Structure formats: C-alpha cells, structure tokens
Amino acid sequence: MKPISLLIFDLDGTLADTLEDIAASVNHTLRRLGKAPLSADRVRRSVGDGIEMLLTRALGGGDQLAEATAIYMEHHRRNLVVRSRLYPAVRETLEHFKSLPMGVITNKAREFSEPLLERLGIRNYFNVIIGADDGLPLKPAPDSIQKIRETLHVPREHTVIVGDGTTDVRAGKAAGVTTCSVTYGFRPEDELRSAGPDYIIHDFSELKKLFLPANQ
C-alpha cells in the first residue's frame, strides 16, 4: 500500500452519478432553443470540460452559447439533485480516509458543486473545493492541484488525484502527483487506460486497498 497525505477527487462521474440531471438541463436548453434533445450517452461523452464546452458540443457550435448558458444555469440551479446520487461505497470510503485532508477539483461551477456535495451529505469530508468559477484554469491544467497542495502543505509524492476522465490523469501527471482512474464513471476504460494512470479501479472502495493514510 502506498502511504499518502492528500486525496483529491473529481466530482461528476467519480463521487456522484449526476448524468441524468445534467442531461435533463442540457435537453431543456436544447428544446428552448428549438433543437432536438440528445441521448444520455451523447451527453455523457460531452461532459468533463466545463459548461461552455458541454453546451458547445450539444449545440454543434458556439453561435447560441451565451443564451444556452443562461438557460442551462437557470434550469440546473433548480434541478441540481433530482436523480443525482453517490456511487456505491463513496461515503464509507471517505469515512475510512477522514483522518487525511481531502479536496475536490471539478470543472463544474462552484455554485453547483458545493450545494451538490452538501445535499448528498459528503461536503464535510473536504477541506478545499475548487470549481470552474474559482479563477484557475480548468483541468487538465495542473494549477488547481498545485493550489490545494500548497494550501495544505502536502508534497507531490504523497498526493493522489482520483477521477473518471482523461483530464484528471493529464492534470495529475502535469502536477507530478499519483493518478487513479475509476472505470464506472463517464468515460470508457480503454480511453482511461490510453491516458496512462498509475492506478485503475472499478469500485470506489478499492482505494482502501491501494492507499494508506501516512498518519497511521
């Protein structure tokens, strides 16, 4: 087991299955703009790079992006946790690591990410949350990882980032930290493997077998 002093998590597709609520807001936006709705799978493939990129992909271009963003934000604000739920073993695994500082880095806006974590009952586990509207470059840029490490005074070699996307792996590699991909989220396993994460897990609870809190 690898001793660690800091765990950083992605949110959508890693801690929580939020796809249906995201897809509902995307399709509400498309209908308002007179466009055909998308399948959940199409939305799944568009998630991970922030709201603007999600909507640009959904629209097939950026011509109506400002209007689409306003519609999406208003709908998602009111429908944040309709079908969203934690993935299996998330709460118990976070409890297992509660002696460690933990953080969340998400390309989702903080105005959504913090209430989502609160309503799913896991906000209290995280020392730091960085969202898309916190003024740092989005993943795969490493800036948010470095910010959390510096805030919590943890070296690279004792830091792990866990996520369901290649952006998490690329951000982790750029920051020089250990990377762990989950296969149950929004990206297929072969895509994740092609990014070269240090670890791949199929269930969130597997983190307990890979990493040992350095303070134990």
Side-chain angles (χ1 to χ4, degrees), residues 182-202:
V182 304
T183 61
Y184 54 75
F186 295 172
R187 291 290 179 269
E189 184 174 344
D190 57 348
E191 183 178 315
L192 296 172
R193 288 189 180 278
S194 70
D198 297 300
Y199 299 94
I200 290 182
I201 60 174
H202 307 288

Side-chain angles (χ1 to χ4, degrees), residues 84-166:
S84 294
R85 64 191 188 280
L86 294 178
Y87 284 109
V90 166
R91 194 185 310 276
E92 309 91 278
T93 304
L94 293 176
E95 182 70 17
H96 174 82
F97 287 107
K98 68 179 180 180
S99 63
L100 289 181
M102 291 188 278
V104 170
I105 298 174
T106 173
N107 287 347
K108 193 186 199 81
R110 173 188 280 272
E111 74 163 288
F112 297 142
S113 55
E114 195 131 21
L116 176 62
L117 291 167
E118 194 77 55
R119 290 171 65 180
L120 291 174
I122 58 171
R123 170 63 184 88
N124 59 303
Y125 288 106
F126 304 111
N127 303 71
V128 183
I129 296 169
I130 296 179
D133 44 357
D134 280 321
L136 292 169
L138 300 185
K139 296 176 294 185
D143 305 56
S144 48
I145 297 175
Q146 293 164 348
K147 173 74 171 176
I148 290 183
R149 281 202 316 98
E150 290 164 6
T151 299
L152 299 175
H153 308 290
V154 178
R156 289 181 178 84
E157 58 271 21
H158 289 163
T159 300
V160 180
I161 183 167
V162 182
D164 73 310
T166 59

Side-chain angles (χ1 to χ4, degrees), residues 10-148:
D10 173 53
L11 175 49
D12 297 301
T14 301
L15 296 172
D17 183 355
T18 55
L19 181 62
E20 288 191 60
D21 288 336
I22 293 172
S25 293
V26 167
N27 285 328
H28 170 82
T29 303
L30 292 173
R31 283 191 292 269
R32 283 278 302 275
L33 295 175
K35 295 181 178 292
L38 301 178
S39 68
D41 191 56
R42 274 286 304 280
V43 175
R44 181 198 309 274
R45 285 181 273 137
S46 299
V47 171
D49 297 306
I51 289 173
E52 289 191 359
M53 188 57 69
L54 167 65
L55 293 175
T56 297
R57 290 167 178 158
L59 291 165
D63 290 347
Q64 296 175 284
L65 182 58
E67 185 180 2
T69 300
I71 295 169
Y72 178 94
M73 296 282 282
E74 191 270 338
H75 184 271
H76 205 56
R77 205 173 280 123
R78 292 185 290 105
N79 298 275
L80 186 60
V81 189
V82 177
R83 291 196 171 94
S84 294
R85 64 191 188 280
L86 294 178
Y87 284 109
V90 166
R91 194 185 310 276
E92 309 91 278
T93 304
L94 293 176
E95 182 70 17
H96 174 82
F97 287 107
K98 68 179 180 180
S99 63
L100 289 181
M102 291 188 278
V104 170
I105 298 174
T106 173
N107 287 347
K108 193 186 199 81
R110 173 188 280 272
E111 74 163 288
F112 297 142
S113 55
E114 195 131 21
L116 176 62
L117 291 167
E118 194 77 55
R119 290 171 65 180
L120 291 174
I122 58 171
R123 170 63 184 88
N124 59 303
Y125 288 106
F126 304 111
N127 303 71
V128 183
I129 296 169
I130 296 179
D133 44 357
D134 280 321
L136 292 169
L138 300 185
K139 296 176 294 185
D143 305 56
S144 48
I145 297 175
Q146 293 164 348
K147 173 74 171 176
I148 290 183

Side-chain angles (χ1 to χ4, degrees), residues 1-9 96-97 99-102 154-162 178 199 207-208 210-216:
M1 296 174 76
K2 178 182 174 64
I4 59 169
S5 301
L6 171 61
L7 275 168
I8 299 172
F9 299 98
H96 174 82
F97 287 107
S99 63
L100 289 181
M102 291 188 278
V154 178
R156 289 181 178 84
E157 58 271 21
H158 289 163
T159 300
V160 180
I161 183 167
V162 182
T178 299
Y199 299 94
L207 291 172
K208 295 186 288 186
L210 294 177
F211 303 116
L212 177 70
N215 56 3
Q216 289 189 0

